[in-house]
Amino acid sequence: MRCVLIASSAAELLFYWADAAFLRRLQPPAAAAVQGPAVEDSLNTLFAPLIISCTALLEKLSDTYTCFRTEHGQHLHVLHMFGDCLYIAVNGDGMESEDDLRRTLFVLRRLVEAHCGLVTLDSHLIRKELRPVDSEQRERVWSLLRGLLETYLRLREEDQSFAVEAVERLIHPQLCEQCIEFLERQVVQYINASPERGGDEVGHAFLLVHTKLLAFYSSRNASSIRPADLLILILLVQDLYPSQSAEEELGPQSEAGKVLPQGPKRSESIPVSSPSSHGAAEKESDNQDTDDLSTPEVYYTPQPSPGRHSTGSESSSESPEPAAAGDADSADVQVAEDLLQTLEPLVPEASNPRRIFLDVNMRDGYCPLLPHTMHCLPLWPGISLVLLTKGPTIHVAVTLHQLLDGFLLLEKKLEEGQEVGAPRSFPFLAELRQRMDKFVKKLSGQDVQLQNAWVEFKNKIFSRSEPGSSLELLQALGTVKRQLCSVYRQLFLSSASQSLSQGLRDRAQKLMRGKLLDWRDFLLVKSRRNITMVSYLEDFPGLVHFIYVDRTAGQMMAPSLSVAEKSSSELGKGPLAEFIKSKVWSLVALARRYLQKGYTTLMLQDGDYCCSYFLWFENELGYKLEVMEVPALSDDSAPIGMLAGDYYRKLLRYYSKNQQAEVVKCYELLTVHLGIIPSELVVQQACDLARRLWEPSRIPLL
């Protein structure tokens, strides 16, 4: 029984997601038909006292509770305040820990930022975005977030890359290099030179096989994308086109021409352009001529495995918990009707251009939440081409970020009680004033409210007679911030963005399908069995499983771990594979708890198995650096990972303070051995395994 919701400080419901069990508890079978407004009213009644008390504690004590249990300890509640929005997660079946719920809240916050950008800095405008007045638009926004949240929860339980929050590469250097070259010459350069691109420029293009990254190309002028945002993009693609079973994907070649046997998943993006027709690639035939790169070679064959159809099978069901058999009472019918009502208006297009806000590293420095447009072009079920474009107004977004960042810094100093009488002593204030004057002048009176708010603020803080009080300055500053966010919202959220023409997308889709046609089955099999334990058993006797993570690049390597009944692997099928999977997931959670307390090495005997975890630092040449004490974090801090605050980026910055002369790399290794293996041998094998895996992790992203 699970529920996640977002509420304002005034106890207004801004978003909710709940599974069927929670809705049944909320609306008993004898209740009237469950409808959207009825559920919202029930949630308001249930959570209003909690929200109000939390807000009161923050006002009176500047502190509040972050976690508690109710009803004999069975119902766990986790709360976190992001700005003026309170995020609440509830679990009543004991299947999720406090860390799991807090991680869900932080990931939900990241998803809201990815779709709303810098508007999240203003409480009034973010309420408008999350809870539009129009009920149909509200359901559209909520369905989008619900679909993404459900997809994340599913992938976190099924996929190792989302369990450890790192991107998994499809290990095939030759094909990777060929695809990067093809993306550069035939896709990115062609589109950027075409007059049909409508002002947009392709900055990044990459190929995905399920959740695994095959190739990634960035144009020369493009800003770098952080690994955390790449993982978010993979999540978005999986939400649009969920992975199917291996049997459906590896169907007869005669059906390969069908881009999608079923429509995309329900969580449609908020439209950013005029509706486009379904991809014309559905009309293409697979009987196309391929280039010389598809000639048979030895390395095209997968590593020895039980067989072509011995692949994993991932469920594409959307519900995190199946309905119990025979439970066909009125409550279930009501829940189903409510969900169907939510899903009806959502039929996304095949390419589905989606506005997305990503953190980038520019030449001038780090810039968060820059607007991009994501074009997802499905090649076959399980294989997708993704194009990231930026529009001609990207420089306006950078300017707005710089202005908002300056006002946030000024607001912080005023709240700390610094002397208002000497604002000119602030070294950044003169530059901030100059930039703001220039920006307002460029608007040429198009936004009168921003101009008036800025004039009022200038008159208060730069007054030669007597500057305004701290309270007056903070109020005026808040008005300026809101108007800046309003301009941002009008430019990048409210207005329709330009996107690549359908012809350019169809051409890229057609060429890429022709390029990978002879590789299709290989890639689908390889994605299910990317790395097998067979090649490691001889050199590492007793090793059952491992996960190797390059935290600097945000990439991971691990043997495939499938628990589907129809699949076959080194672990067999069914209970044994599920048992090992539970051990691995438990080790990941335990390693995070100890790392949060400052421990970088862990080894424990867990029944018949020995589990170990190592975190270490190296220089660019691969030499291990001396161990230093890792700072311990509080229990309510951001969860360790990439999606919830990017802990490892901060850890690298912390460690690099004492290593100014060289580049610092961070790595993690988690291993599961048989319990009879001595601990000394486990450590030795971990060192040898890390050295062996060091090279493949350096496949260039370009």
Side-chain angles (χ1 to χ4, degrees), residues 195-210:
E196 301 178 29
R197 59 188 177 94
D200 276 16
E201 180 183 356
V202 179
H204 309 276
F206 58 93
L207 290 165
L208 291 176
V209 185
H210 296 304

Side-chain angles (χ1 to χ4, degrees), residues 251-295:
Q253 278 289 348
S254 60
E255 298 181 1
K258 299 180 181 179
V259 176
L260 286 176
Q262 62 180 23
K265 199 182 172 185
R266 60 178 172 80
S267 58
E268 176 193 12
S269 67
I270 303 172
V272 297
S273 61
S274 59
S276 58
S277 61
H278 286 273
E282 296 184 6
K283 302 178 183 178
E284 299 296 331
S285 169
D286 282 336
N287 299 323
Q288 302 172 2
D289 295 332
T290 54
D291 53 24
D292 57 350
L293 298 178
S294 60
T295 55

Side-chain angles (χ1 to χ4, degrees), residues 503-535:
L504 287 176
R505 285 180 279 168
D506 290 346
R507 180 189 181 276
Q509 192 177 39
K510 175 182 176 181
L511 289 178
M512 205 70 244
R513 292 181 72 241
K515 169 68 178 176
L516 296 178
L517 180 61
D518 290 348
W519 296 78
R520 172 180 173 267
D521 286 359
F522 166 79
L523 289 173
L524 293 174
V525 172
K526 182 68 173 173
S527 70
R528 304 287 186 178
R529 303 287 297 278
N530 192 23
I531 298 176
T532 59
M533 281 298 301
V534 172
S535 53

Side-chain angles (χ1 to χ4, degrees), residues 84 118-123 125 400 403-412 415 432 436 449-450 453-454 457 473-489:
D84 289 334
L118 294 176
V119 172
T120 53
L121 296 176
D122 185 83
S123 59
L125 294 178
L400 284 169
L403 292 174
L404 285 168
D405 192 50
F407 282 114
L408 286 172
L409 180 59
L410 178 59
E411 184 180 45
K412 182 180 179 181
E415 288 176 345
L432 179 62
M436 189 66 184
Q449 291 180 323
L450 174 61
W454 172 235
F457 178 74
L473 286 174
L474 286 172
Q475 290 176 346
L477 189 148
T479 305
V480 174
K481 280 172 46 188
R482 175 164 300 173
Q483 294 305 320
L484 285 173
C485 289
S486 181
V487 172
Y488 184 95
R489 178 173 180 249

Side-chain angles (χ1 to χ4, degrees), residues 260-536:
L260 286 176
Q262 62 180 23
K265 199 182 172 185
R266 60 178 172 80
S267 58
E268 176 193 12
S269 67
I270 303 172
V272 297
S273 61
S274 59
S276 58
S277 61
H278 286 273
E282 296 184 6
K283 302 178 183 178
E284 299 296 331
S285 169
D286 282 336
N287 299 323
Q288 302 172 2
D289 295 332
T290 54
D291 53 24
D292 57 350
L293 298 178
S294 60
T295 55
E297 294 285 348
V298 174
Y299 55 76
Y300 288 172
T301 305
Q303 294 182 5
S305 60
R308 177 179 178 223
H309 293 284
S310 300
T311 53
S313 176
E314 295 179 11
S315 172
S316 60
S317 62
E318 295 173 5
S319 174
E321 141 180 344
D327 189 15
D329 56 16
S330 58
D332 293 323
V333 177
Q334 293 162 6
V335 171
E337 289 176 351
D338 178 55
L339 292 177
L340 285 175
Q341 183 181 5
T342 301
L343 307 185
E344 277 178 359
L346 304 175
V347 183
E349 298 295 336
S351 16
N352 200 20
R354 172 178 293 191
R355 174 75 80 191
I356 192 74
F357 296 88
L358 305 174
D359 299 342
V360 299
N361 294 316
M362 307 183 68
R363 294 177 180 177
D364 299 334
Y366 169 73
C367 187
L369 303 178
L370 279 188
H372 294 74
T373 302
M374 184 190 81
H375 303 265
C376 182
L377 310 177
L379 306 179
W380 296 281
I383 305 178
S384 300
L385 167 65
V386 182
L387 305 177
L388 276 180
T389 64
K390 58 182 181 180
T393 58
I394 191 75
H395 65 281
V396 181
V398 175
T399 301
L400 284 169
H401 156 68
Q402 293 171 344
L403 292 174
L404 285 168
D405 192 50
F407 282 114
L408 286 172
L409 180 59
L410 178 59
E411 184 180 45
K412 182 180 179 181
K413 291 183 177 296
L414 291 174
E415 288 176 345
E416 291 174 352
Q418 295 197 18
E419 284 295 329
V420 182
R424 297 175 184 82
S425 61
F426 297 157
F428 63 92
L429 194 56
E431 182 183 359
L432 179 62
R433 179 181 183 178
Q434 184 180 4
R435 283 184 174 180
M436 189 66 184
D437 284 335
K438 185 178 180 181
F439 181 74
V440 172
K441 184 178 180 180
K442 280 188 176 182
L443 290 178
S444 302
Q446 297 179 16
D447 197 311
V448 179
Q449 291 180 323
L450 174 61
Q451 186 174 357
N452 293 339
W454 172 235
V455 170
E456 180 184 356
F457 178 74
K458 281 198 303 183
N459 292 338
K460 289 182 180 296
I461 195 169
F462 295 108
S463 174
R464 295 185 178 181
S465 56
E466 182 177 352
S469 64
S470 296
L471 181 59
E472 292 177 341
L473 286 174
L474 286 172
Q475 290 176 346
L477 189 148
T479 305
V480 174
K481 280 172 46 188
R482 175 164 300 173
Q483 294 305 320
L484 285 173
C485 289
S486 181
V487 172
Y488 184 95
R489 178 173 180 249
Q490 183 178 358
L491 288 174
F492 304 113
L493 289 175
S494 301
S495 61
S497 74
Q498 294 178 325
S499 60
L500 300 178
S501 67
Q502 187 66 42
L504 287 176
R505 285 180 279 168
D506 290 346
R507 180 189 181 276
Q509 192 177 39
K510 175 182 176 181
L511 289 178
M512 205 70 244
R513 292 181 72 241
K515 169 68 178 176
L516 296 178
L517 180 61
D518 290 348
W519 296 78
R520 172 180 173 267
D521 286 359
F522 166 79
L523 289 173
L524 293 174
V525 172
K526 182 68 173 173
S527 70
R528 304 287 186 178
R529 303 287 297 278
N530 192 23
I531 298 176
T532 59
M533 281 298 301
V534 172
S535 53
Y536 295 92

Side-chain angles (χ1 to χ4, degrees), residues 78-326:
V78 173
L79 305 87
H80 198 93
M81 203 81 180
F82 293 99
D84 289 334
C85 295
L86 179 63
Y87 286 58
I88 304 175
V90 182
N91 180 271
D93 55 16
M95 299 301 293
E96 292 180 293
S97 65
E98 177 183 345
D99 181 75
D100 292 332
L101 295 181
R102 182 167 288 110
R103 187 176 303 276
T104 299
L105 294 183
F106 274 79
V107 171
L108 177 59
R109 166 66 174 183
R110 182 66 190 91
L111 293 174
V112 171
E113 288 180 337
H115 284 85
C116 298
L118 294 176
V119 172
T120 53
L121 296 176
D122 185 83
S123 59
H124 177 70
L125 294 178
I126 193 60
R127 285 201 297 268
K128 286 186 176 182
E129 285 298 318
L130 292 179
R131 189 182 175 86
V133 177
D134 182 69
S135 58
E136 291 186 3
Q137 178 66 10
R138 186 189 315 158
E139 282 299 335
R140 188 181 298 274
V141 173
W142 287 7
S143 295
L144 168 65
L145 291 176
R146 285 169 183 158
L148 290 170
L149 189 59
E150 289 174 3
T151 302
Y152 165 71
L153 293 174
R154 172 178 63 84
L155 291 175
R156 190 173 72 182
E157 295 300 319
E158 295 178 359
D159 197 284
Q160 294 181 93
S161 63
F162 279 85
V164 299
E165 297 187 7
V167 178
E168 184 172 5
R169 300 297 305 273
L170 201 67
I171 305 299
H172 199 295
Q174 297 93 335
L175 179 57
C176 173
E177 184 178 352
Q178 294 169 15
C179 288
I180 288 175
E181 182 179 353
F182 191 85
L183 289 173
E184 176 187 8
R185 296 181 179 179
Q186 301 297 327
V187 178
V188 176
Q189 290 183 359
Y190 178 86
I191 293 178
N192 288 341
S194 172
E196 301 178 29
R197 59 188 177 94
D200 276 16
E201 180 183 356
V202 179
H204 309 276
F206 58 93
L207 290 165
L208 291 176
V209 185
H210 296 304
T211 58
K212 296 176 177 61
L213 182 66
L214 172 60
F216 190 104
Y217 172 75
S218 298
S219 62
R220 294 181 179 178
N221 298 327
S223 306
S224 61
I225 297 293
R226 291 168 50 204
D229 283 336
L230 184 54
L231 204 61
I232 288 288
L233 293 171
I234 295 174
L235 172 61
L236 296 180
V237 174
Q238 275 293 301
D239 181 62
L240 283 171
Y241 306 104
S243 295
Q244 301 174 355
S245 66
E247 289 77 10
E248 291 175 317
E249 291 166 351
L250 296 173
Q253 278 289 348
S254 60
E255 298 181 1
K258 299 180 181 179
V259 176
L260 286 176
Q262 62 180 23
K265 199 182 172 185
R266 60 178 172 80
S267 58
E268 176 193 12
S269 67
I270 303 172
V272 297
S273 61
S274 59
S276 58
S277 61
H278 286 273
E282 296 184 6
K283 302 178 183 178
E284 299 296 331
S285 169
D286 282 336
N287 299 323
Q288 302 172 2
D289 295 332
T290 54
D291 53 24
D292 57 350
L293 298 178
S294 60
T295 55
E297 294 285 348
V298 174
Y299 55 76
Y300 288 172
T301 305
Q303 294 182 5
S305 60
R308 177 179 178 223
H309 293 284
S310 300
T311 53
S313 176
E314 295 179 11
S315 172
S316 60
S317 62
E318 295 173 5
S319 174
E321 141 180 344

